[in-house]
């Protein structure tokens, strides 16, 4: 169970690190490269910096939506993959939480102008849903092993 949460935390930090932790080096390196490419093309980091400084509308104007709409699903997929591959007998019953997380991220990008502190709140919502999904995966495995 600890391995799954650690792999998820690494993927929360940087998509691809959870895969490297799970010893899936090629997939991890490819995901790290893809994350940097999509992040750079969508200007997410610049927008996050502006958002944390209180410039929420300027942050939303900074974002390149053509690539930003791809990012939440990609981010969620990386975390989900690291959680599933951190266990021997994967419990796929938790996938719905990760699907909701990616959907929340995409809807947050689309309707960000109507959400206060959009980048922070949408990111927090995504991570909360993924933590619940990671817990559900862990709970299912704990029940099976006892």
């Amino acid at each position: 169970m600890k391995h799954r949460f650690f792999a998820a935390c690494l993927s929360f930090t940087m998509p691809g690190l959870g895969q490297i932790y799970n010893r899936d080096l090629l997939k991890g390196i490819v995901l790290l490269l893809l994350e940097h490419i999509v992040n750079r093309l969508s200007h997410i980091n610049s927008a996050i910096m502006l958002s944390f400084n209180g410039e929420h509308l300027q942050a939303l104007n900074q974002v390149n939506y053509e690539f930003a709409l791809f990012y939440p699903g990609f981010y969620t997929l990386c975390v989900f993959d690291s959680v599933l591959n951190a266990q021997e007998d994967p419990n796929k019953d938790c996938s719905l939480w990760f699907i909701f997380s990616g959907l929340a991220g995409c809807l947050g990008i689309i309707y960000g102008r109507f959400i206060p502190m959009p980048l922070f709140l949408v990111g927090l919502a995504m991570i909360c849903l993924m933590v619940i999904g990671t817990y559900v995966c862990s709970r299912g495995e704990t029940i099976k092993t006892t």
Side-chain angles (χ1 to χ4, degrees):
M1 183 165 134
K2 290 181 182 178
H3 298 293
R4 188 172 15 271
F5 274 109
F6 190 68
C9 287
L10 286 173
S11 286
F12 291 150
T13 305
M14 178 70 64
L17 289 181
Q19 285 75 11
I20 291 172
Y21 174 74
N22 289 335
R23 294 188 175 98
D24 199 352
L25 297 178
L26 182 61
K27 186 191 302 182
I29 291 169
V30 168
L31 291 176
L32 273 169
L33 290 173
L34 283 174
E35 193 280 333
H36 279 82
I37 291 168
V38 172
N39 192 320
R40 181 75 174 149
L41 291 173
S42 63
H43 306 290
I44 294 285
N45 287 343
S46 302
I48 289 172
M49 184 184 70
L50 288 169
S51 183
F52 277 138
N53 287 314
E55 303 291 334
H56 305 297
L57 288 178
Q58 189 178 358
L60 290 173
N61 290 332
Q62 179 78 28
V63 173
N64 181 352
Y65 289 95
E66 291 179 14
F67 293 99
L69 284 169
F70 178 71
Y71 194 78
F74 173 74
Y75 184 81
T76 303
L77 179 68
C78 290
V79 176
F80 182 56
D81 180 69
S82 68
V83 168
L84 281 184
N85 290 325
Q87 56 187 334
E88 292 177 15
D89 185 22
N91 175 12
K92 295 184 176 113
D93 294 336
C94 60
S95 62
L96 200 56
W97 291 100
F98 292 92
I99 292 169
F100 286 148
S101 174
L103 182 63
C106 286
L107 289 175
I109 289 173
I110 293 169
Y111 297 109
R113 297 200 184 278
F114 305 107
I115 302 170
M117 296 178 17
L119 295 174
F120 176 74
L121 291 177
V122 170
L124 184 63
M126 286 179 62
I127 289 176
C128 287
L129 289 169
M130 286 187 280
V131 166
I132 293 170
T134 303
Y135 173 75
V136 169
C137 281
S138 302
R139 186 181 56 138
E141 187 184 63
T142 305
I143 291 170
K144 289 179 183 177
T145 58
T146 55

